[in-house]
Amino acid sequence: MAIINALARTARYSIRDSFHSSHNHVQKTRQFSASPLPKVATSTQHPFAYGANDEVARLAASRRRPLILADLLKHGRPPLSKDALLASANFTLSLLPARLASRIEALRNLPFIVVSNPHVSKIYNNYIHSLSTLLPYQQRQVATLDEEKRFAEVLADLVHTHTNTIPILARGFLECRRYIDPTEVTRFLDTHLRARIGTRLIAEQHLALHFASPLVNNDGQLPKTTAPSNYIGVIDTALQPARIVKLCEDFVGEICELKYGLRPRLTIGGQPDATFAHVPVHVEYILTELLKNAFRAVVESGNEREPIEVTIAAAPDVPRHAVRVRPYSLPTGIPSNQPHADVGIEMDTVVGTADANESIKYSSPSTQSITIRIRDRGGGIPPEILPNIWSYSFTTFSELDPQGSDNGNMDALNAMSASGGHLSSIAGLGYGLPLSRAYAEYFGGSIAVQSLWGWGTDVYLTLQGVGKVG
């Protein structure tokens, strides 16, 4: 109870405002928790005031054990049994609070004038609210299917709450650019983006398992027949990059046709039938950003008759001896149904807010790797721009007209594509390539750009698969 009260005092205004917008969500939390959050009254206390030795700092400084891919897959293929579903819920609860606290602590370490910005303040309050909502679940654990159902509803609401974190933070830093060094902003955003990928992956994995496990009785009996699926949670074990390329081509092509009145051609070569295990949403976002750049370059250079060439190459299984996974023990009460000898993701054990050190290492003698080359005849990248393509270009905005088209970032193609999904809402912020690289590198992949000024650009996207899943 002391933890909850401390968090409530930390963000009186934030939780009060969040409760108004999420009344049903809080009611679910109160039904479950034996120690519900107290109703937060209006106070003159500053929303960022926090006392010494508060629980946020303690959680943020706690040492987190490595996370491997087996953790995400160990509960088995859906539909899950009752025990497996409850184990997945409690495993999710064992990871999220410390990660949320780490992000809160990182925001607190920013200059006070930056944290006081309404946009940055909103994100800070969202994290405080999410942490204070999850702590009662973590303290009591999820023991029944009804409790797991309520937890999944609350978790889905929290995931939705953080959907626009990146664009909101970006606007906040844009407004505070005179008070904070650009390198510090880049460092913070890079850390935050990578930490956010891991946090959302953990939450969305359990939600996907929950919705794919329609238990018919309270005793946990599964349906007698279930349709086979390639998915284990959010991971597609037989993802075909060529199919994702075609989907992204259709989406970007329609936007390009609306903007310019024409649509460049795209050809797919190499090994279009290649498959591997990966997270489709990540791949789709990366390819959308890369194809958007290629389509725009080709059209604006007047070479729209030259097709954009996409070549897919699957690397052969080659023994790897880079890193061995360090041993660890599972938390009490979390059963392990599968051996941990499969290809694994390992986060370096970190202390405090060092989420930027999240690195993915592989323990299997062979891993899947697919490289996608996107070649365009769009004239290449100007030499003066090339060194900055991986930087967060918030400083190039016009302060008076951030949505304008004269700042070198925002254009009609990006503006119209913003309707394509929540990730596209960062269009025009110059985050496309940096965020794409973060998604690729999270699973050990990479993005390399080779530009021939006056001719065109080759982009090499290497996606390290999450391993062969039986």
Side-chain angles (χ1 to χ4, degrees), residues 59-389:
L59 284 169
S62 62
R63 184 171 293 273
R64 299 190 291 278
R65 70 169 181 80
L67 174 70
I68 65 173
L69 176 65
D71 289 329
L72 300 179
L73 302 180
K74 68 181 178 183
H75 304 295
R77 286 186 181 273
L80 301 185
S81 66
K82 173 184 175 181
D83 290 341
L85 192 59
L86 295 180
S88 174
N90 287 312
F91 176 75
T92 302
L93 280 168
S94 72
L95 299 178
L96 291 183
R99 288 172 169 269
L100 294 173
S102 178
R103 293 295 85 221
I104 294 170
E105 191 74 359
L107 285 163
R108 288 178 174 178
N109 290 334
L110 291 172
F112 180 81
I113 194 171
V114 175
V115 188
S116 299
N117 176 271
H119 299 294
V120 181
S121 172
K122 179 178 180 179
I123 299 306
Y124 176 89
N125 292 336
N126 285 345
Y127 277 104
I128 286 286
H129 172 57
S130 298
L131 180 58
S132 62
T133 301
L134 289 180
L135 279 178
Y137 287 87
Q138 185 188 50
Q139 292 165 353
R140 180 174 170 176
Q141 297 282 289
V142 177
T144 68
L145 288 177
D146 287 339
E147 291 172 352
E148 189 280 330
K149 180 180 179 181
R150 287 196 291 270
F151 167 69
E153 291 172 350
V154 169
L155 187 62
D157 187 65
L158 294 182
V159 169
H160 178 73
T161 297
H162 292 271
T163 294
N164 291 318
T165 291
I166 297 174
I168 294 173
L169 272 181
R171 295 296 175 184
F173 282 120
L174 169 63
E175 294 175 0
C176 297
R177 57 184 176 179
R178 68 182 64 181
Y179 308 116
I180 186 170
D181 186 80
T183 57
E184 186 177 351
V185 174
T186 297
R187 188 183 307 111
F188 176 88
L189 288 174
D190 195 51
T191 301
H192 188 90
L193 292 177
R194 294 170 192 273
R196 184 175 182 270
I197 292 172
T199 302
R200 291 185 71 88
L201 182 62
I202 293 167
E204 291 174 348
Q205 177 70 2
H206 175 70
L207 288 175
L209 293 174
H210 168 84
F211 290 115
S213 303
L215 300 174
V216 295
N217 299 317
N218 290 332
D219 59 1
Q221 294 296 320
L222 292 170
K224 293 183 178 180
T225 59
T226 57
S229 172
N230 293 328
Y231 280 81
I232 300 180
V234 296
I235 300 172
D236 185 351
T237 60
L239 188 148
Q240 190 175 22
R243 183 181 63 85
I244 303 295
V245 170
K246 291 177 181 177
L247 290 174
C248 296
E249 175 196 1
D250 291 340
F251 173 67
V252 177
E254 289 178 3
I255 298 170
C256 192
E257 193 166 11
L258 286 171
K259 159 65 177 172
Y260 299 105
L262 51 89
R263 177 188 303 213
R265 291 187 299 116
L266 183 145
T267 62
I268 300 177
Q271 300 171 272
D273 296 330
T275 62
F276 73 143
H278 213 283
V279 182
V281 174
H282 294 181
V283 180
E284 184 175 349
Y285 173 74
I286 296 171
L287 289 175
T288 297
E289 288 298 321
L290 298 181
L291 289 180
K292 192 165 60 177
N293 292 338
F295 273 54
R296 177 185 175 185
V298 165
V299 172
E300 294 188 352
S301 66
N303 289 331
E304 63 275 2
R305 293 186 178 181
E306 297 290 339
I308 296 170
E309 301 175 14
V310 176
T311 305
I312 300 173
D317 289 338
V318 178
R320 297 172 61 97
H321 307 285
V323 182
R324 292 184 298 177
V325 173
R326 294 189 295 271
Y328 69 95
S329 59
L330 288 172
T332 303
I334 303 297
S336 177
N337 300 325
Q338 290 182 287
H340 291 259
D342 198 0
V343 175
I345 306 171
E346 176 186 337
M347 314 302 186
D348 285 346
T349 302
V350 295
V351 178
T353 60
D355 297 85
N357 293 329
E358 286 193 354
S359 60
I360 289 73
K361 301 169 185 176
Y362 299 86
S363 58
S364 173
S366 64
T367 59
Q368 297 170 297
S369 174
I370 285 185
T371 298
I372 302 173
R373 183 189 66 186
I374 301 176
R375 169 172 289 179
D376 68 68
R377 286 285 308 277
I381 303 173
E384 65 273 14
I385 296 178
L386 189 59
N388 302 317
I389 61 174

